[in-house]
PDB file of all heavy atoms in Angstrom:
ATOM      1  N   GLY A   1      89.751  95.390  85.004  1.00  0.00           N
ATOM      2  CA  GLY A   1      90.218  94.676  86.178  1.00  0.00           C
ATOM      3  C   GLY A   1      89.387  94.867  87.410  1.00  0.00           C
ATOM      4  O   GLY A   1      89.135  93.978  88.190  1.00  0.00           O
ATOM      5  N   ALA A   2      88.909  96.131  87.587  1.00  0.00           N
ATOM      6  CA  ALA A   2      88.119  96.412  88.771  1.00  0.00           C
ATOM      7  C   ALA A   2      86.822  95.636  88.729  1.00  0.00           C
ATOM      8  O   ALA A   2      86.307  95.233  89.776  1.00  0.00           O
ATOM      9  CB  ALA A   2      87.813  97.895  88.846  1.00  0.00           C
ATOM     10  N   PHE A   3      86.283  95.457  87.518  1.00  0.00           N
ATOM     11  CA  PHE A   3      85.023  94.677  87.405  1.00  0.00           C
ATOM     12  C   PHE A   3      85.252  93.242  87.828  1.00  0.00           C
ATOM     13  O   PHE A   3      84.475  92.672  88.596  1.00  0.00           O
ATOM     14  CB  PHE A   3      84.539  94.742  85.953  1.00  0.00           C
ATOM     15  CG  PHE A   3      83.380  93.833  85.669  1.00  0.00           C
ATOM     16  CD1 PHE A   3      82.117  94.157  86.153  1.00  0.00           C
ATOM     17  CD2 PHE A   3      83.531  92.681  84.930  1.00  0.00           C
ATOM     18  CE1 PHE A   3      81.050  93.313  85.899  1.00  0.00           C
ATOM     19  CE2 PHE A   3      82.471  91.861  84.671  1.00  0.00           C
ATOM     20  CZ  PHE A   3      81.227  92.181  85.143  1.00  0.00           C
ATOM     21  N   ALA A   4      86.340  92.647  87.329  1.00  0.00           N
ATOM     22  CA  ALA A   4      86.608  91.246  87.684  1.00  0.00           C
ATOM     23  C   ALA A   4      86.929  91.093  89.141  1.00  0.00           C
ATOM     24  O   ALA A   4      86.541  90.130  89.785  1.00  0.00           O
ATOM     25  CB  ALA A   4      87.778  90.750  86.824  1.00  0.00           C
ATOM     26  N   ALA A   5      87.655  92.086  89.706  1.00  0.00           N
ATOM     27  CA  ALA A   5      88.033  91.980  91.118  1.00  0.00           C
ATOM     28  C   ALA A   5      86.887  92.304  92.015  1.00  0.00           C
ATOM     29  O   ALA A   5      86.766  91.771  93.132  1.00  0.00           O
ATOM     30  CB  ALA A   5      89.195  92.907  91.396  1.00  0.00           C
ATOM     31  N   GLY A   6      86.021  93.212  91.573  1.00  0.00           N
ATOM     32  CA  GLY A   6      84.941  93.675  92.447  1.00  0.00           C
ATOM     33  C   GLY A   6      83.758  92.770  92.539  1.00  0.00           C
ATOM     34  O   GLY A   6      83.085  92.729  93.550  1.00  0.00           O
ATOM     35  N   ARG A   7      83.503  92.038  91.464  1.00  0.00           N
ATOM     36  CA  ARG A   7      82.314  91.189  91.445  1.00  0.00           C
ATOM     37  C   ARG A   7      82.708  89.743  91.165  1.00  0.00           C
ATOM     38  O   ARG A   7      83.576  89.462  90.405  1.00  0.00           O
ATOM     39  CB  ARG A   7      81.316  91.653  90.343  1.00  0.00           C
ATOM     40  CG  ARG A   7      80.058  90.846  90.334  1.00  0.00           C
ATOM     41  CD  ARG A   7      79.169  91.282  89.191  1.00  0.00           C
ATOM     42  NE  ARG A   7      78.611  92.594  89.411  1.00  0.00           N
ATOM     43  CZ  ARG A   7      77.532  92.813  90.146  1.00  0.00           C
ATOM     44  NH1 ARG A   7      76.947  91.848  90.792  1.00  0.00           N
ATOM     45  NH2 ARG A   7      77.053  94.035  90.265  1.00  0.00           N
ATOM     46  N   GLY A   8      82.054  88.828  91.830  1.00  0.00           N
ATOM     47  CA  GLY A   8      82.309  87.423  91.621  1.00  0.00           C
ATOM     48  C   GLY A   8      81.390  86.614  92.480  1.00  0.00           C
ATOM     49  O   GLY A   8      80.470  87.151  93.102  1.00  0.00           O
ATOM     50  N   THR A   9      81.564  85.339  92.549  1.00  0.00           N
ATOM     51  CA  THR A   9      80.712  84.527  93.398  1.00  0.00           C
ATOM     52  C   THR A   9      81.196  84.543  94.800  1.00  0.00           C
ATOM     53  O   THR A   9      82.356  84.836  95.093  1.00  0.00           O
ATOM     54  CB  THR A   9      80.722  83.066  92.893  1.00  0.00           C
ATOM     55  OG1 THR A   9      82.047  82.543  93.019  1.00  0.00           O
ATOM     56  CG2 THR A   9      80.286  83.003  91.447  1.00  0.00           C
ATOM     57  N   ALA A  10      80.312  84.206  95.732  1.00  0.00           N
ATOM     58  CA  ALA A  10      80.717  84.161  97.130  1.00  0.00           C
ATOM     59  C   ALA A  10      81.758  83.094  97.360  1.00  0.00           C
ATOM     60  O   ALA A  10      82.590  83.186  98.258  1.00  0.00           O
ATOM     61  CB  ALA A  10      79.484  83.890  98.017  1.00  0.00           C
ATOM     62  N   GLN A  11      81.726  82.029  96.515  1.00  0.00           N
ATOM     63  CA  GLN A  11      82.721  80.982  96.683  1.00  0.00           C
ATOM     64  C   GLN A  11      84.124  81.529  96.397  1.00  0.00           C
ATOM     65  O   GLN A  11      85.087  81.201  97.071  1.00  0.00           O
ATOM     66  CB  GLN A  11      82.418  79.822  95.714  1.00  0.00           C
ATOM     67  CG  GLN A  11      83.384  78.648  95.865  1.00  0.00           C
ATOM     68  CD  GLN A  11      83.288  78.037  97.239  1.00  0.00           C
ATOM     69  OE1 GLN A  11      82.186  77.828  97.753  1.00  0.00           O
ATOM     70  NE2 GLN A  11      84.428  77.776  97.876  1.00  0.00           N
ATOM     71  N   ALA A  12      84.234  82.408  95.386  1.00  0.00           N
ATOM     72  CA  ALA A  12      85.519  83.020  95.088  1.00  0.00           C
ATOM     73  C   ALA A  12      85.990  83.862  96.247  1.00  0.00           C
ATOM     74  O   ALA A  12      87.169  83.906  96.581  1.00  0.00           O
ATOM     75  CB  ALA A  12      85.417  83.875  93.817  1.00  0.00           C
ATOM     76  N   GLU A  13      85.014  84.546  96.900  1.00  0.00           N
ATOM     77  CA  GLU A  13      85.377  85.361  98.062  1.00  0.00           C
ATOM     78  C   GLU A  13      85.930  84.468  99.168  1.00  0.00           C
ATOM     79  O   GLU A  13      86.891  84.817  99.833  1.00  0.00           O
ATOM     80  CB  GLU A  13      84.168  86.133  98.521  1.00  0.00           C
ATOM     81  CG  GLU A  13      84.447  86.999  99.746  1.00  0.00           C
ATOM     82  CD  GLU A  13      83.181  87.640 100.265  1.00  0.00           C
ATOM     83  OE1 GLU A  13      82.106  87.231  99.858  1.00  0.00           O
ATOM     84  OE2 GLU A  13      83.301  88.551 101.085  1.00  0.00           O
ATOM     85  N   ASN A  14      85.247  83.338  99.389  1.00  0.00           N
ATOM     86  CA  ASN A  14      85.679  82.435 100.450  1.00  0.00           C
ATOM     87  C   ASN A  14      87.085  81.900 100.176  1.00  0.00           C
ATOM     88  O   ASN A  14      87.878  81.710 101.090  1.00  0.00           O
ATOM     89  CB  ASN A  14      84.714  81.279 100.583  1.00  0.00           C
ATOM     90  CG  ASN A  14      83.357  81.702 101.088  1.00  0.00           C
ATOM     91  OD1 ASN A  14      83.273  82.737 101.762  1.00  0.00           O
ATOM     92  ND2 ASN A  14      82.306  80.986 100.757  1.00  0.00           N
ATOM     93  N   ASN A  15      87.397  81.680  98.900  1.00  0.00           N
ATOM     94  CA  ASN A  15      88.712  81.157  98.563  1.00  0.00           C
ATOM     95  C   ASN A  15      89.812  82.191  98.853  1.00  0.00           C
ATOM     96  O   ASN A  15      90.955  81.837  99.054  1.00  0.00           O
ATOM     97  CB  ASN A  15      88.769  80.782  97.080  1.00  0.00           C
ATOM     98  CG  ASN A  15      87.923  79.553  96.791  1.00  0.00           C
ATOM     99  OD1 ASN A  15      87.609  78.797  97.696  1.00  0.00           O
ATOM    100  ND2 ASN A  15      87.521  79.388  95.535  1.00  0.00           N
ATOM    101  N   SER A  16      89.428  83.494  98.793  1.00  0.00           N
ATOM    102  CA  SER A  16      90.408  84.545  99.034  1.00  0.00           C
ATOM    103  C   SER A  16      90.286  85.103 100.437  1.00  0.00           C
ATOM    104  O   SER A  16      90.773  86.178 100.734  1.00  0.00           O
ATOM    105  CB  SER A  16      90.250  85.665  98.014  1.00  0.00           C
ATOM    106  OG  SER A  16      88.970  86.242  98.154  1.00  0.00           O
ATOM    107  N   ALA A  17      89.616  84.384 101.311  1.00  0.00           N
ATOM    108  CA  ALA A  17      89.341  84.909 102.644  1.00  0.00           C
ATOM    109  C   ALA A  17      90.520  84.833 103.596  1.00  0.00           C
ATOM    110  O   ALA A  17      90.348  84.922 104.783  1.00  0.00           O
ATOM    111  CB  ALA A  17      88.152  84.168 103.256  1.00  0.00           C
ATOM    112  N   SER A  18      91.700  84.659 103.020  1.00  0.00           N
ATOM    113  CA  SER A  18      92.888  84.667 103.858  1.00  0.00           C
ATOM    114  C   SER A  18      93.161  86.039 104.442  1.00  0.00           C
ATOM    115  O   SER A  18      93.980  86.190 105.357  1.00  0.00           O
ATOM    116  CB  SER A  18      94.103  84.175 103.076  1.00  0.00           C
ATOM    117  OG  SER A  18      94.301  84.995 101.923  1.00  0.00           O
ATOM    118  N   GLU A  19      92.502  87.075 103.861  1.00  0.00           N
ATOM    119  CA  GLU A  19      92.652  88.402 104.421  1.00  0.00           C
ATOM    120  C   GLU A  19      92.140  88.367 105.860  1.00  0.00           C
ATOM    121  O   GLU A  19      91.031  87.970 106.133  1.00  0.00           O
ATOM    122  CB  GLU A  19      91.828  89.414 103.619  1.00  0.00           C
ATOM    123  CG  GLU A  19      91.863  90.815 104.240  1.00  0.00           C
ATOM    124  CD  GLU A  19      90.886  91.717 103.559  1.00  0.00           C
ATOM    125  OE1 GLU A  19      90.023  91.233 102.810  1.00  0.00           O
ATOM    126  OE2 GLU A  19      90.981  92.902 103.793  1.00  0.00           O
ATOM    127  N   SER A  20      92.948  88.793 106.791  1.00  0.00           N
ATOM    128  CA  SER A  20      92.586  88.674 108.207  1.00  0.00           C
ATOM    129  C   SER A  20      91.761  89.850 108.639  1.00  0.00           C
ATOM    130  O   SER A  20      91.657  90.866 108.010  1.00  0.00           O
ATOM    131  CB  SER A  20      93.865  88.643 109.044  1.00  0.00           C
ATOM    132  OG  SER A  20      94.562  89.862 108.961  1.00  0.00           O
ATOM    133  N   ALA A  21      91.112  89.672 109.800  1.00  0.00           N
ATOM    134  CA  ALA A  21      90.302  90.741 110.377  1.00  0.00           C
ATOM    135  C   ALA A  21      91.219  91.913 110.721  1.00  0.00           C
ATOM    136  O   ALA A  21      90.777  93.066 110.720  1.00  0.00           O
ATOM    137  CB  ALA A  21      89.574  90.256 111.599  1.00  0.00           C
ATOM    138  N   GLU A  22      92.456  91.634 111.046  1.00  0.00           N
ATOM    139  CA  GLU A  22      93.403  92.693 111.381  1.00  0.00           C
ATOM    140  C   GLU A  22      93.596  93.596 110.149  1.00  0.00           C
ATOM    141  O   GLU A  22      93.656  94.810 110.296  1.00  0.00           O
ATOM    142  CB  GLU A  22      94.736  92.090 111.802  1.00  0.00           C
ATOM    143  CG  GLU A  22      95.778  93.127 112.190  1.00  0.00           C
ATOM    144  CD  GLU A  22      97.015  92.449 112.753  1.00  0.00           C
ATOM    145  OE1 GLU A  22      96.984  92.075 113.930  1.00  0.00           O
ATOM    146  OE2 GLU A  22      98.007  92.309 112.037  1.00  0.00           O
ATOM    147  N   ASP A  23      93.676  93.011 108.971  1.00  0.00           N
ATOM    148  CA  ASP A  23      93.836  93.804 107.759  1.00  0.00           C
ATOM    149  C   ASP A  23      92.620  94.688 107.519  1.00  0.00           C
ATOM    150  O   ASP A  23      92.726  95.805 107.062  1.00  0.00           O
ATOM    151  CB  ASP A  23      94.056  92.924 106.525  1.00  0.00           C
ATOM    152  CG  ASP A  23      95.421  92.242 106.589  1.00  0.00           C
ATOM    153  OD1 ASP A  23      96.296  92.786 107.233  1.00  0.00           O
ATOM    154  OD2 ASP A  23      95.565  91.161 105.963  1.00  0.00           O
ATOM    155  N   SER A  24      91.441  94.148 107.799  1.00  0.00           N
ATOM    156  CA  SER A  24      90.240  94.913 107.556  1.00  0.00           C
ATOM    157  C   SER A  24      90.014  95.985 108.615  1.00  0.00           C
ATOM    158  O   SER A  24      89.261  96.905 108.415  1.00  0.00           O
ATOM    159  CB  SER A  24      89.015  93.995 107.536  1.00  0.00           C
ATOM    160  OG  SER A  24      88.754  93.482 108.809  1.00  0.00           O
ATOM    161  N   GLY A  25      90.706  95.842 109.734  1.00  0.00           N
ATOM    162  CA  GLY A  25      90.598  96.841 110.768  1.00  0.00           C
ATOM    163  C   GLY A  25      89.317  96.814 111.562  1.00  0.00           C
ATOM    164  O   GLY A  25      88.947  97.775 112.176  1.00  0.00           O
ATOM    165  N   THR A  26      88.587  95.693 111.499  1.00  0.00           N
ATOM    166  CA  THR A  26      87.274  95.666 112.172  1.00  0.00           C
ATOM    167  C   THR A  26      87.074  94.490 113.102  1.00  0.00           C
ATOM    168  O   THR A  26      86.009  94.316 113.647  1.00  0.00           O
ATOM    169  CB  THR A  26      86.164  95.625 111.107  1.00  0.00           C
ATOM    170  OG1 THR A  26      86.393  94.468 110.256  1.00  0.00           O
ATOM    171  CG2 THR A  26      86.194  96.873 110.252  1.00  0.00           C
ATOM    172  N   ASP A  27      88.105  93.687 113.317  1.00  0.00           N
ATOM    173  CA  ASP A  27      87.912  92.503 114.143  1.00  0.00           C
ATOM    174  C   ASP A  27      87.635  92.849 115.583  1.00  0.00           C
ATOM    175  O   ASP A  27      86.727  92.348 116.209  1.00  0.00           O
ATOM    176  CB  ASP A  27      89.173  91.630 114.069  1.00  0.00           C
ATOM    177  CG  ASP A  27      89.032  90.391 114.944  1.00  0.00           C
ATOM    178  OD1 ASP A  27      87.996  89.700 114.860  1.00  0.00           O
ATOM    179  OD2 ASP A  27      89.940  90.113 115.730  1.00  0.00           O
ATOM    180  N   ASN A  28      88.408  93.764 116.114  1.00  0.00           N
ATOM    181  CA  ASN A  28      88.258  94.113 117.541  1.00  0.00           C
ATOM    182  C   ASN A  28      87.656  95.497 117.708  1.00  0.00           C
ATOM    183  O   ASN A  28      87.939  96.170 118.694  1.00  0.00           O
ATOM    184  CB  ASN A  28      89.618  94.041 118.248  1.00  0.00           C
ATOM    185  CG  ASN A  28      90.119  92.612 118.313  1.00  0.00           C
ATOM    186  OD1 ASN A  28      89.358  91.700 118.572  1.00  0.00           O
ATOM    187  ND2 ASN A  28      91.418  92.400 118.035  1.00  0.00           N
TER     188      ASN A  28
END
């Protein structure tokens, strides 16, 4: 699972980009 979740295309990342900057802790 970690392999599938950790690596993929950038398009897949963009599709899951609903994660907000607030969640990442780096926006501000």
Side-chain angles (χ1 to χ4, degrees):
F3 172 72
R7 182 183 290 278
T9 64
Q11 183 62 45
E13 179 185 14
N14 293 336
N15 291 339
S16 63
S18 57
E19 176 189 14
S20 65
E22 181 174 280
D23 291 335
S24 69
T26 57
D27 178 49
N28 293 318

